[in-house]
Amino acid sequence: MKSSSKPLHPLRSWLSIERNQTSHGEKWISALGALIGITVVYQLTHWCFPAGFNHAGGAIMLASMGASAVLVFAVPHGALSQPWAVIAGHLVSAFIGVSCQLMFPDQAWTGALAVGLAVGAMHYLRCIHPPGGATALAAVIGGSDVHALGYNYLLTPVAINVAAILLAGIVFNACFAWRRYPVQLHRRRQQAIAVPSAQRHVDLTQEDFHAAIGQLNSFVDITDESLTELLELAKQNAERDALHPDLIEPGRCYSNGRLGRAWSVRRVSVTPALSGPSADRLVFAVVAGDGIGDIGHATAAELRQWARFEVSLHEGGRWAKLGSR
């Protein structure tokens, strides 16, 4: 089989532009949740300290809460979004930031030191939360009002802001059964689908993972337990229909059924190949996965040997086995 490559398509791989297979409704729910969450943080902080809002000795709404809102409301089942990560990530980072500022005030490198130590501490305490780095940095570059707070910075604003964003996340996400927060509440409400072990003799494919992610309808920032759940859903999709195409037909798309970087989808053209006997050669274009943008030609027998099953493109850029939703 011969193929030619389009030079611009590798740019997508280098930039790591991945498909977001969540529904449009899920995307809008995430945006609404972030809006409500930040409103709750602002109102609760202002309610606790109405006279001291944005002044020394009072309370401040941290800019890093905006980043926490993205995680809690857009990726509610992600490892970086869970309560321990949010609570410890912010508080530990705040402590480190204040300590660095007290020990090394007015140094150009103090902020960098605070962020670096915060990242290391979050690693060891298993509470990595990216907005924590911003919380540590704010303790250093926040100006005289923040510096005057000293270790009170951990309470006002950090602890109050964290409590508010978590409260908003729990209440808001509880309204939607598939995105309850924290993730433990979601797992407890899942119904296991029993499949006899004797039937588990099929290979998983990339399409099965795509179908499983579509069923989750949640942006995947994966935890170990969520990965197990995703694997289980993929197995169920694989067991439903593990078929190979009987014929290769022009105008249709076929997948090699492999996983990861080796996965590829080819669309067979209705135009015969220009080189070789046109009667037994078909032109194909790689439309997804490995070699995307390549154009080549092969016999129907060669394509059938390569193909695992026919696929179609669904909403959100998700490729699925023909007949699957």
Side-chain angles (χ1 to χ4, degrees):
M1 287 184 282
K2 298 181 180 180
S3 67
S4 61
S5 180
K6 296 181 180 179
L8 294 180
H9 285 287
L11 182 62
R12 176 177 174 177
S13 298
W14 281 103
L15 294 176
S16 297
I17 302 175
E18 299 293 338
R19 292 183 180 89
N20 185 334
Q21 297 183 170
T22 55
S23 65
H24 293 298
E26 176 68 10
K27 292 179 177 70
W28 281 104
I29 289 171
S30 298
L32 178 63
L35 185 156
I36 293 174
I38 293 301
T39 300
V40 170
V41 173
Y42 181 90
Q43 293 297 337
L44 183 58
T45 306
H46 188 56
W47 176 74
C48 290
F49 298 91
F53 196 73
N54 277 340
H55 291 284
I60 308 165
M61 187 172 76
L62 289 168
S64 56
M65 286 299 113
S68 290
V70 173
L71 291 170
V72 171
F73 295 101
V75 198
H77 295 164
L80 307 182
S81 311
Q82 299 312 299
W84 172 247
V86 178
I87 296 168
H90 278 295
L91 290 176
V92 169
S93 297
F95 177 82
I96 291 173
V98 172
S99 298
C100 288
Q101 173 59 27
L102 291 174
M103 289 187 291
F104 309 107
D106 303 322
Q107 300 297 320
W109 44 265
T110 303
L113 177 65
V115 174
L117 291 176
V119 170
M122 286 189 286
H123 259 301
Y124 280 106
L125 294 174
R126 293 179 291 179
C127 60
I128 293 180
H129 188 61
T135 298
L137 185 61
V140 177
I141 67 172
S144 58
D145 286 356
V146 173
H147 297 163
L149 293 172
Y151 286 108
N152 287 330
Y153 175 71
L154 275 70
L155 174 62
T156 59
V158 178
I160 293 174
N161 283 192
V162 167
I165 200 73
L166 287 176
L167 176 63
I170 292 170
V171 174
F172 179 83
N173 289 317
C175 299
F176 309 95
W178 67 91
R179 55 181 290 142
R180 287 194 172 101
Y181 177 86
V183 69
Q184 184 63 26
L185 295 178
H186 172 69
R187 283 198 294 268
R188 287 178 178 176
R189 287 164 173 77
Q190 299 233 11
Q191 293 183 351
I193 303 176
V195 178
S197 58
Q199 298 179 16
R200 296 191 180 265
H201 298 293
V202 294
D203 295 328
L204 293 178
T205 68
Q206 192 75 14
E207 287 74 18
D208 297 319
F209 273 101
H210 283 178
I213 292 172
Q215 288 176 250
L216 287 178
N217 193 29
S218 178
F219 191 86
V220 180
D221 167 23
I222 207 74
T223 63
D224 289 341
E225 293 186 9
S226 292
L227 180 60
T228 302
E229 176 190 353
L230 186 61
L231 179 61
E232 181 63 26
L233 291 172
K235 286 181 179 180
Q236 293 169 18
N237 280 281
E239 290 156 357
R240 214 165 14 241
D241 52 345
L243 302 176
H244 293 270
D246 294 326
L247 297 172
I248 298 295
E249 300 183 37
R252 297 181 180 270
C253 297
Y254 299 89
S255 169
N256 63 358
R258 301 183 69 181
L259 290 173
R261 295 183 178 180
W263 171 69
S264 184
V265 174
R266 293 174 177 176
R267 177 181 289 118
V268 180
S269 172
V270 296
T271 305
L274 296 178
S275 62
S278 61
D280 84 330
R281 299 192 78 77
L282 297 169
V283 175
F284 66 84
V286 181
V287 294
D290 184 38
I292 184 170
D294 289 359
I295 298 175
H297 58 84
T299 65
E302 289 173 332
L303 284 171
R304 186 176 185 278
Q305 183 179 12
W306 174 89
R308 177 80 182 276
F309 41 73
E310 187 176 348
V311 293
S312 60
L313 186 62
H314 288 227
E315 181 182 355
R318 178 173 67 89
W319 289 94
K321 298 175 185 177
L322 196 66
S324 299
R325 295 190 300 171

